[in-house]
Amino acid sequence: LSALEFRGRLRLYARANLSARGGGRGVQTTSAPDVSGPWEPFEVVDVLGFDARRRENGAYFAAVNVNPVDDQTVLGIFPVREGPRAFVAV
């Protein structure tokens, strides 16, 4: 779980298990004005070129924070498995 304040809202990022048969892991996010809510529904984070719904793929979690170079964006690192390859994605 990764939590941060961004643009006046509390944002949470958590793992999303997207395949009932195993594998298929991605990251989902939600936000609220503060910790007491109300919370928006979770949405799967879309990463260009990565299909988290495929059983052989997985983004196991996300460590997300405000981008230190551009505070209007966030920056995350994700340990990823894509088929036979494993790496840390930014």
Side-chain angles (χ1 to χ4, degrees), residues 13 26-29 43-47 52 78:
Y13 292 84
V27 174
Q28 60 188 341
T29 185
E43 295 180 7
V44 174
V45 175
D46 182 26
V47 178
F78 308 79

Side-chain angles (χ1 to χ4, degrees), residues 4-68:
L4 68 139
E5 186 177 351
F6 182 65
R7 296 185 179 171
R9 294 183 66 83
L10 180 60
R11 294 203 66 88
L12 299 178
Y13 292 84
R15 187 164 102 179
N17 295 320
L18 302 170
S19 174
R21 300 182 323 249
R25 294 175 182 94
V27 174
Q28 60 188 341
T29 185
T30 184
S31 70
D34 59 51
V35 72
S36 63
W39 290 90
E40 297 291 327
F42 274 100
E43 295 180 7
V44 174
V45 175
D46 182 26
V47 178
L48 184 64
F50 180 74
D51 185 358
R53 288 178 171 80
R54 294 184 65 181
R55 285 189 67 197
E56 64 272 13
N57 293 346
Y60 292 92
F61 64 87
V64 181
N65 212 332
V66 177
N67 185 339

